[in-house]
Amino acid sequence: MITRVFSGIQPTGTLHIGNYFGAVRNWAAMQDDIESIICIVDYHAITIDVDPTTLRQATLSMATDLIACGIDPEKTVLFVQSDVPEHTELGWILGCVTSIGDLSRMTQFKDKSSKQSFISSGLFTYPVLQAADILLYKADGVPVGEDQIQHLELSRRIARRFNSRFGEFFPEPQQVVGEKGARIMSLSDPTAKMSKSAGETHYVGVMEPETSIRKKVRSAVTDMGLESGDAMSPGVANLFEILELSTESTGQTDILENLRANFAVGSLMYSTLKDAVFEQLMEILRPIQEKRAKLESSGDVIDMLRSGAKRARIMAKETIAQVRPLVGLGTDNP
RNA sequence: AGGCCCGUAGCUCAGUUGGAAGAGCGUCCGACUCCAAAUCGGAAGGCCGGGGGUUCGAGCCCUCCCGGGCCUGCCA
């Protein structure tokens, strides 16, 4: 039985619909039923070279996006990682029960480091900090996608090793699978997951202007036309996926069914599909964008983050206060 | 601490003896397409890492600095 879930998200500046349908929407749905902690992980963000001003803005912007998308800072403990410095202390301690061998097997490190000329040691030990993020709150559930499973497994391994060395203390966090494992693909390259780093044409930003979204959806890769009975090409399947996720919320599932039927008999015009995707997507995004505008002009987000950090820190301090004597650190413990 | 290599467009790089800064990919616009892709046509994009010097003239030579990579050594 999962009792507390932890989610982290990097302050990349803005959310795209892959983040929204894949993660954020599930978080928002979950917060009513289960104790939820969401952390904007700025310590993680600095593992690669990033401009300080950009980072600060991106962090605030990400928080605003999340709240606009339905994360309720009253229900969910929403905060910025570096406002709770206990993350780094636990990170250090856990780093000392983590082997270099385990870390060097992380595919994400190999991936990211191959794209950097300057490879920081922080990038290498990133998964340790991630384990600390989760374990600091003794979260037993982590809603992660497939790409993070390896890191989550390492977190469990780290928890296990800590427990066996210092005594049973941390729960081993389990993967929480969302109701719908949405995995939105890039519009320009539908064989790759949607990501911001791949370039402008690859993603649709949740907060993007309507004209820009229409253009991007219309430019999505499809195929050269299929015979009826053929399987969908990746690009078309992706558009249907986005349409399905959107109509789930708008309730206009008949649109989806019609287009599916058209596809089945081979009479679907992709421009029609794209128009529908755009329309339904905007139904979802419009209210989110409006909410964001209000939030931004209110200037309340900073205060929300501060009070979130206060709540998080109470939990974090308690954990650290227990960990230190277990390990034998400090003078203020017997 | 010593030695070697590197820094030019968003990315990967070329650049002749020192003589008008280039290519490929990507991006943007157009044609084609139901929409896209591919293809074709067009365009934008540069403090040549930074300062100083030599020269009529420096991406290129000298010098210092910054940044990155590799090798050796030293200390803990």
Side-chain angles (χ1 to χ4, degrees):
Chain A
M1 183 62 192
I2 304 292
T3 60
R4 181 184 276 176
V5 298
F6 177 93
S7 305
I9 188 165
Q10 281 220 35
T12 51
T14 184
L15 287 169
H16 57 68
I17 60 171
N19 302 135
Y20 177 73
F21 288 120
V24 178
R25 198 175 66 154
N26 286 332
W27 297 346
M30 223 179 289
Q31 65 187 344
D32 292 314
D33 309 319
I34 194 161
E35 188 179 354
S36 300
I37 299 171
I38 297 178
C39 178
I40 299 168
V41 290
D42 55 350
Y43 280 137
H44 287 278
I46 60 170
T47 52
I48 57 174
D49 192 35
V50 56
D51 171 69
T53 306
T54 307
L55 178 61
R56 209 182 344 265
Q57 286 167 352
T59 301
L60 183 60
S61 180
M62 181 56 72
T64 312
D65 283 5
L66 289 172
I67 298 167
C69 286
I71 302 300
D72 181 346
E74 298 290 321
K75 294 176 187 163
T76 294
V77 179
L78 173 69
F79 67 102
V80 175
Q81 187 182 27
S82 62
D83 281 342
V84 183
E86 282 76 12
H87 285 257
T88 59
E89 179 168 0
L90 186 59
W92 174 262
I93 294 167
L94 295 181
C96 298
V97 298
T98 307
S99 76
I100 286 189
D102 281 342
L103 288 175
S104 49
R105 258 171 251 126
M106 295 296 121
T107 56
Q108 196 181 78
F109 172 74
K110 294 181 200 168
D111 229 50
K112 280 193 173 178
S113 59
S114 69
K115 291 169 189 158
Q116 301 285 324
S117 58
F118 179 84
I119 301 163
S120 73
S121 60
L123 186 64
F124 185 64
T125 57
Y126 185 117
V128 177
L129 183 58
Q130 197 174 341
D133 295 339
I134 299 162
L135 298 178
L136 187 56
Y137 303 99
K138 296 188 178 179
D140 47 11
V142 185
V144 291
E146 207 175 324
D147 52 328
Q148 285 298 316
I149 287 178
Q150 197 187 28
H151 284 176
L152 185 58
E153 280 168 359
L154 180 63
S155 293
R156 272 201 289 278
R157 201 173 154 76
I158 290 172
R160 208 173 305 140
R161 190 171 293 129
F162 181 96
N163 290 345
S164 77
R165 193 174 293 185
F166 302 112
E168 205 60 32
F169 184 73
F170 290 118
E172 289 181 28
Q174 304 301 311
Q175 185 190 8
V176 177
V177 184
E179 300 161 26
K180 187 142 175 58
R183 184 174 150 91
I184 305 287
M185 309 305 277
S186 154
L187 295 182
S188 288
D189 176 13
T191 61
K193 199 174 108 169
M194 179 176 282
S195 78
K196 209 184 158 199
S197 57
E200 274 293 327
T201 61
H202 290 260
Y203 72 93
V204 171
V206 171
M207 303 305 169
E208 239 175 279
E210 203 165 321
T211 50
S212 168
I213 295 178
R214 178 188 284 116
K215 206 167 167 187
K216 284 187 179 178
V217 171
R218 281 198 145 255
S219 303
V221 167
T222 59
D223 57 62
M224 306 216 289
L226 299 171
E227 300 293 317
S228 81
D230 284 354
M232 281 183 198
S233 58
V236 175
N238 191 39
L239 288 169
F240 267 106
E241 175 77 9
I242 297 170
L243 186 63
E244 181 175 353
L245 290 161
S246 303
T247 54
E248 247 169 42
S249 302
T250 63
Q252 303 189 47
T253 49
D254 51 320
I255 293 175
L256 174 68
E257 294 314 319
N258 280 338
L259 292 171
R260 272 198 177 138
N262 285 346
F263 180 84
V265 297
S267 69
L268 176 66
M269 301 240 275
Y270 292 147
S271 56
T272 312
L273 172 63
K274 287 178 174 178
D275 287 345
V277 168
F278 167 71
E279 297 291 343
Q280 292 301 304
L281 201 48
M282 285 316 300
E283 292 283 311
I284 310 266
L285 299 185
R286 225 171 268 125
I288 292 176
Q289 295 188 353
E290 282 162 16
K291 188 167 178 192
R292 188 191 206 282
K294 281 183 200 150
L295 272 169
E296 203 170 14
S297 59
S298 77
D300 292 340
V301 175
I302 290 272
D303 286 335
M304 293 172 178
L305 289 173
R306 283 184 186 147
S307 91
K310 212 173 272 178
R311 289 162 70 192
R313 199 154 189 205
I314 290 168
M315 296 184 257
K317 277 183 162 165
E318 193 184 328
T319 302
I320 289 292
Q322 291 167 322
V323 164
R324 290 172 61 102
L326 281 178
V327 179
L329 295 170
T331 55
D332 51 350
N333 293 292

